[in-house]
Amino acid sequence: MRKTVLFLLVAALHPAAAVETGHTRLRGVQPGTTATNPSAAEATEVAAVDRVEAGYWAITVEELQRARHLMHGPRGAFSVSNISPVEVLGIHARSDAERDRYAELFTKLLHDDAQRVLAWQRAGDAAMRRLFPHDKAIDFGRAPNTPSLPNWYFAPGGAAP
């Protein structure tokens, strides 16, 4: 018991340093090799993945890395985990012009996504009409009979009608 308390006290008082690594990458290690230095091929692969992700958001790899870095600070605690890098960069813009650029970029991305969702919905509606021409997409008349609940809010005096 005394050793445990002493250990916890030493651990609590021991200065610790935090090291920011950007992000963690896991990779397999071949038997007989060490995992300390990534190979040039792995570094190229990581850079290629970052280029693809940056391309999705129409930002540079440097901007993507800045957004990731910002997510390791308070932004990561204040925001949902799936906030886009464009939103992070816009929130932490270094000038009005930069903020406007990210706002326009994000708006274009949202607009394009809305167009894709609407096109998908139109295709689904057409498929419904083609495959089930005599059915409604949602037929509330076929819903099982459920007892209606009293409208407590609008009943006089708050009592059930």
Side-chain angles (χ1 to χ4, degrees):
M1 174 74 174
R2 179 180 272 171
K3 288 182 182 181
T4 303
V5 171
L6 182 60
F7 173 77
L8 292 174
L9 183 61
V10 170
L13 296 175
H14 187 352
V19 177
E20 185 173 318
T21 60
H23 51 277
T24 303
R25 300 237 185 251
L26 300 177
R27 57 189 171 88
V29 178
Q30 298 295 326
T33 63
T34 63
T36 55
N37 295 324
S39 68
E42 288 168 333
T44 301
E45 179 183 322
V46 169
V49 168
D50 286 351
R51 283 193 302 274
V52 169
E53 185 176 352
Y56 287 148
W57 296 106
I59 59 177
T60 66
V61 172
E62 290 77 18
E63 289 172 311
L64 178 65
Q65 291 170 344
R66 180 169 182 261
R68 287 177 180 162
H69 175 76
L70 289 166
M71 285 298 289
H72 288 289
R75 176 58 38 215
F78 299 151
S79 297
V80 295
S81 62
N82 62 340
I83 187 173
S84 74
V86 177
E87 291 171 282
V88 172
L89 293 168
I91 292 167
H92 293 275
R94 295 169 284 206
S95 68
D96 290 342
E98 193 176 71
R99 184 174 296 102
D100 290 345
R101 178 178 159 257
Y102 292 126
E104 287 181 9
L105 174 59
F106 190 71
T107 301
K108 288 177 185 176
L109 291 167
L110 282 176
H111 175 268
D112 293 349
D113 186 61
Q115 294 304 310
R116 286 188 296 272
V117 169
L118 291 172
W120 170 246
Q121 182 62 51
R122 287 188 295 272
D125 292 345
M128 183 68 185
R129 287 189 301 274
R130 188 174 57 255
L131 297 173
F132 305 100
H134 304 294
D135 289 352
K136 295 178 183 177
I138 300 174
D139 188 355
F140 291 106
R142 290 185 171 182
N145 290 336
T146 56
S148 60
L149 298 174
N151 191 337
W152 299 100
Y153 184 76
F154 291 107

